[in-house]
Amino acid sequence: SRASLAARRVLGTEQAGQRLQPGPLRSWTDRDRGTRKRLHSAGRAAAASGAPAAPRAGGEGLAGSGAVLPAREQSESQAMSTNLKYLSLGILVFQTTSLVLTMRYSRTLKEEGPRYLSSTAVVVAEFLKIMACILLVYKDSKCNLRALNRVLHDEILNKPMETLKLAIPSGIYTLQNNLLYVALSNLDAATYQVTYQLKILTTALFSVSMLSKKLGVYQWLSLVILMTGVAFVQWPSDSQSTATKELSAGSQFVGLIAVLIACFSSGFAGVYFEKILKETKQSVWIRNIQLGFFGSIFGLMGVYIYDGELLSKNGFFQGYNKLTWIVVVLQALGGLVIAAVIKYADNILKGFATSLSIILSTLISYFWLQDFVPTSVFFFGAILVIAATFLYGYDPKPAGNPIKA
């Protein structure tokens, strides 16, 4: 085009003039400024005639500022993901440790009047969990009540068979939550925390049998170390048995049986729930609403079967105080925190959170609750359990082939 020819003539004339100029050459800065002005004028002329403009100096016409934004946005998203990961793990450590300690303290605290019923606390926690999940679905529905009503109607009421599938794990979870109160009424927080890690073993065994999951060498080794560590923690000693009799009125055998049944129920219900999530496309919050619905029904049945007489005498909320409500809220938020950790964290960081929770529970149980006297055997077993937790989440990456020069 004429504009392109004009730009070429301008450049050619400048180069010829520079070659024929007799005196000392102009500075590179001056020449560069003149060239940029002429290129800019030629580019404007080319744009007016419809021809493609010449690229700007420094390659800005090719890349521009748009090449910088994606990298910046990517780094910001990575930083946000990292912050969410550690935030969810911090919340998990706080929730797990505080739930165990407050539950233990609330079950051993001596106060006037009747003690709160653990069966009613489980039911109230299920109701709070349902309300929290409904709020999350409402948020996902862009805070529209009609959209929320349509989602609940379509995903729960119009799919009765899918909803009924959650009755089995819901009943097992309700049994597990009641067993945890029994366990913490008879075991100190540190022993309970370490022994309850046997749920890793039961979850792995049910995953192999129900989901055909294959475990690696490190995972099988970690399960053996886990069983050994729990055995050391539960190993009876004279000083520990004496301290248990003095500090706790419960039975350690009853607490151990409750923890073992809770571990088996947790492993089976967790794997069953995972299988249902893989077979359907419903959101985790909808599934938790279904679990909470059946859990509240099973929980109310347990209240009237086992605590019907006490309920008729002193009412449903007998013995409730601020500490009881804290326990109930922490138990209700447990499932939501675990869902967030599964979404943002990996197995190694979850193992770190579990280990930190065990250490904090041991220290607080010894210094604050003063219902636990640690022994060398306990410390050895706890170290084995922590090591097994890390080893189970370890995923060895194959080393890449070195690049030859």
Side-chain angles (χ1 to χ4, degrees), residues 1-19 35 37-46 49 51-55:
S1 63
R2 295 180 179 180
S4 300
L5 291 174
R8 292 178 182 176
R9 288 175 182 176
V10 170
L11 290 175
T13 304
E14 182 185 11
Q15 291 174 358
Q18 290 173 358
R19 287 195 297 268
T35 303
K37 289 181 180 178
R38 277 181 279 274
L39 283 175
H40 182 64
S41 301
R44 292 179 62 183
S49 63

Side-chain angles (χ1 to χ4, degrees), residues 44 207 234 239:
R44 292 179 62 183
S207 298
Q234 292 294 334
S239 60

Side-chain angles (χ1 to χ4, degrees), residues 57-137:
E60 294 178 0
L62 297 176
S65 60
V68 181
L69 292 178
R72 183 181 300 173
E73 292 176 356
Q74 185 177 4
S75 61
E76 290 178 356
S77 63
Q78 290 177 353
M80 183 178 297
S81 178
T82 303
N83 293 333
L84 288 175
K85 179 188 298 184
Y86 289 106
L87 177 63
S88 61
L89 284 172
I91 295 174
L92 177 62
V93 173
F94 172 78
Q95 188 269 340
T96 305
T97 308
S98 58
L99 175 61
V100 171
L101 294 172
T102 53
M103 190 181 293
R104 169 65 177 174
Y105 184 68
S106 66
R107 300 307 292 172
T108 57
L109 182 64
K110 295 181 180 180
E111 288 185 345
E112 296 181 359
R115 180 182 297 177
Y116 75 94
L117 302 176
S118 59
S119 57
T120 62
V122 172
V123 175
V124 176
E126 293 295 333
F127 277 114
L128 291 179
K129 188 186 301 182
I130 293 174
M131 293 174 60
C133 291
I134 290 177
L135 289 176
L136 291 171
V137 176

